[in-house]
Amino acid sequence: MDAPTMLQLTRHGEHVVELTLDRPDAMNAISTAFSEQITAATAELARDASVRAVVLTSSHPRAFCVGADLKERNGFTDAQMMDHRLVSKLAYRGVLDLPVPAVAAVEGYALGGGMEIALSCDLIVAGAEATLALPEVGVGVIPGGGGTQLLTRRVGWSRAASMILTARRFTAEQGRELGVVDELVEAGSARERALELAGGIARNSPVAVRNAKKAMRLGMGTDLAAGLEIEDGCWRATAFSADRAEGVAAFAEKRTPQWPG
């Protein structure tokens, strides 16, 4: 029997898609079946050339995602744990590898893998009552959905260590101070703000936005010289596109661009 649908895809206009985590009975805990659905959904979004921005939200008012489904994991053999690992890893990478900007709208708990889903996005908007944590070392594992790498790149070594090695929980305001949260908003309004940000992104050249994200992601782990070469390649892919011609023409004619994409 197929697993019940645990995701909702909603279009907002032509170019923004809201991907809603919808396993409310488990506060969106990430099971094997849920991981498979996230992987499939993000692959579908990555293939859709009309998508210019993605917003990740939750149907549960008190939880973005509480992380791994520990009830499912309880009693796993080592072989089952490895099988699950291979499946769940693809889900996190599916979010991280989206070619378009992704914005996480966090309300309530974003714990463990839930926080890693948010970290896999490009921007994180959090409601004032959100709670953030990477508590894995407290249950005998480490963040395995990209947390040790993404958080350290986002906020630096010592700030990441303060969250990962202590396993403690942080408020949304503390997350903003650490640099984990990009925008702190009134409780209950993270989704609205994230959709607003995505809409603004979607009005820009889709070719330019995709290539800017590509240059940033590929160049982040390299030295400056290599990063500048990556940037140059992405610049060339953009500068000789139909979007560049339309952008310049629209600017000269004082009109809104109609991006060929």
Side-chain angles (χ1 to χ4, degrees), residues 54-56 64 95 101-110 112-127 130-134 150-151 154-155 163 171-172 175-176 178-185 189-191 193-195 197 201 217:
V54 175
V55 175
L56 272 76
F64 177 71
V95 178
V103 185
V106 176
E107 301 279 2
Y109 295 110
M115 183 172 165
E116 289 176 301
I117 289 175
L119 288 169
S120 296
C121 295
D122 302 289
L123 295 170
I124 299 175
V125 179
T131 299
L132 313 169
L134 289 174
L150 296 173
L151 184 62
R154 178 178 270 265
V155 305
M163 179 170 282
T171 65
R176 180 71 181 91
L178 286 168
V180 179
V181 172
D182 297 299
E183 289 199 22
L184 179 63
V185 296
S189 65
R191 174 179 176 271
R193 177 55 181 153
L195 287 169
L197 282 170
I201 290 168
R217 282 289 173 88

Side-chain angles (χ1 to χ4, degrees), residues 35-82:
S35 295
E36 291 172 339
Q37 291 187 20
I38 293 170
T39 301
T42 51
E44 178 184 338
L45 291 171
R47 289 192 297 267
D48 189 341
S50 72
V51 176
R52 297 183 185 176
V54 175
V55 175
L56 272 76
T57 63
S58 166
S59 65
H60 197 297
R62 293 190 295 110
F64 177 71
C65 173
V66 295
D69 189 337
L70 297 183
K71 290 182 179 178
E72 181 190 57
R73 285 189 183 183
N74 189 30
F76 268 5
T77 64
D78 287 351
Q80 288 172 323
M81 190 68 176
M82 181 53 71

Side-chain angles (χ1 to χ4, degrees), residues 157 188 239:
W157 177 274

